[in-house]
Amino acid sequence: MNQRIIYQTNEGGVAVIVPANCGLTIENIAAKDVPAGTAYKIVTTDDIPSDRTFREAWEADFSNPDGYGIGADAYFAAKETEQ
Amino acid sequence: MSQINVNTITNRTGSGGPVISGLATAQNGLHVTGGGVNVTGIVTATIFSGSVETLNIDSVGIITAQSGVHFGLVGSGLTISSVGAGTSMGFFTDGSEALRIDSSGNLRFNSGYGSAATAYGCRAWVNLDGTGTVSIRESGNVSSITDRGTGAYTISFSTSMPDSNYSVGGSTGRSDDVSDSNIDIRALNTGSLLFNVRNQQSAVLVDRDIILIQIFR
């Protein structure tokens, strides 16, 4: 999968989520694995620098997010309700 | 001993189904549909293929077969249930217990251990590259890994752990040099594991291209 999910950490940096081949959609993974209430964007690997020399200085614009995380507990609770 | 030769068996009026007394043979085999067939009042039941005994059910329900028992499954597959409180399922080879699922659902097996002992399976694992564009080579029960910064990662589980009292095994390596880093566990959550990779001399966070993590519970 060449997609990645990014969100801003509490420290102001950028976290990059690498989806596993687990059968979930990238939207499902974003909802589950992004912290609850945190805005995220779905990007491609081309958008992520491969040079990690200044990894802690990475920035991104989250003013127009693709969604907000709900966290693992709420995700599983919602899935349970659906069944 | 009486013998009934039948081609068709029909329901008796006012009864729950056909009744066959004695031995029955049918020209083109016996087919039972609807409610099935109940055989009562027997000590053993034996099925023959021609004159060769192929399958026997003895008085306590033990099934023996001449050439092993083969299940040909069509549709939704096979479900084997252990009925009754406190019952378990055992599988024996050459008279010795090889595998058991006990009444609590624990799987025990004897793979050269001397006895069938409870197996504690790996509940999640991942092999990842933490350098360049961070990527997962392969994984199990992992929905994603999060690159939180240099040498800082989160593993999120596809299926959460029952509690946070699990055990983690991990190692790191460098494909271009000797290994010089350790796994530093930061938080064990039911849905995720946070860890860092640190240089074992300076303790600074470092990226490594070989990061291997296993979770046991």
Side-chain angles (χ1 to χ4, degrees), chain B residues 199-217:
Chain B
N199 180 283
Q200 59 192 16
Q201 300 297 328
S202 65
V204 299
L205 295 166
V206 291
D207 291 328
R208 290 292 174 257
D209 65 337
I210 300 171
I211 301 174
L212 314 172
I213 299 287
Q214 313 86 40
I215 287 95
F216 295 87
R217 176 67 175 85

Side-chain angles (χ1 to χ4, degrees), chain B residues 5-211:
Chain B
N5 295 299
V6 294
N7 288 320
T8 304
I9 302 171
T10 58
N11 284 348
R12 294 180 303 164
T13 302
S15 70
V19 174
I20 306 169
S21 298
L23 293 175
T25 61
Q27 285 285 325
N28 297 308
L30 180 62
H31 300 267
V32 180
T33 60
V37 60
N38 295 311
V39 182
T40 59
I42 60 169
V43 176
T44 63
T46 308
I47 295 174
F48 289 82
S49 175
S51 60
V52 179
E53 178 184 322
T54 57
L55 189 136
N56 180 272
I57 306 171
D58 72 12
S59 58
V60 294
I62 294 175
I63 300 173
T64 54
Q66 283 290 329
S67 303
V69 179
H70 303 270
F71 295 98
L73 304 177
V74 177
S76 58
L78 173 68
T79 299
I80 301 174
S81 300
S82 158
V83 296
T87 57
S88 63
M89 290 184 188
F91 300 82
F92 291 73
T93 56
D94 198 19
S96 297
E97 184 178 81
L99 187 147
R100 178 168 297 278
I101 303 171
D102 70 19
S103 58
S104 298
N106 295 319
L107 172 67
R108 304 179 187 180
F109 64 88
N110 179 6
S111 183
Y113 308 145
S115 63
T118 302
Y120 299 98
C122 177
R123 300 291 295 268
W125 63 273
V126 66
N127 176 334
L128 68 96
D129 181 350
T131 61
T133 302
V134 175
S135 61
I136 298 171
R137 295 187 182 91
E138 283 294 344
S139 64
N141 192 29
V142 169
S143 61
S144 71
I145 58 132
T146 302
D147 159 23
R148 295 183 284 109
T150 302
Y153 306 93
T154 299
I155 296 174
S156 296
F157 307 127
S158 299
T159 299
S160 295
M161 299 297 139
D163 55 41
S164 58
N165 297 326
Y166 51 86
S167 180
V168 180
S171 54
T172 65
R174 299 176 63 167
S175 58
D176 62 345
D177 204 343
V178 296
S179 179
D180 62 351
S181 49
N182 292 327
I183 297 290
D184 170 27
I185 303 298
R186 304 306 304 160
L188 297 96
N189 305 314
T190 56
S192 62
L193 166 72
L194 277 70
F195 69 95
N196 293 335
V197 177
R198 294 184 183 277
N199 180 283
Q200 59 192 16
Q201 300 297 328
S202 65
V204 299
L205 295 166
V206 291
D207 291 328
R208 290 292 174 257
D209 65 337
I210 300 171
I211 301 174

Side-chain angles (χ1 to χ4, degrees), chain A residues 1 4 14 16 18 20 22-23 27 31 33 36-37 41 46 50-51 54 61 69 72 76-77:
Chain A
M1 186 181 286
R4 298 289 186 266
V14 177
V16 181
V18 183
C22 63
E27 290 80 11
D33 296 343
K41 287 188 73 72
D46 293 338
S50 58
D51 183 348
F54 300 102
D61 178 9
F76 287 121

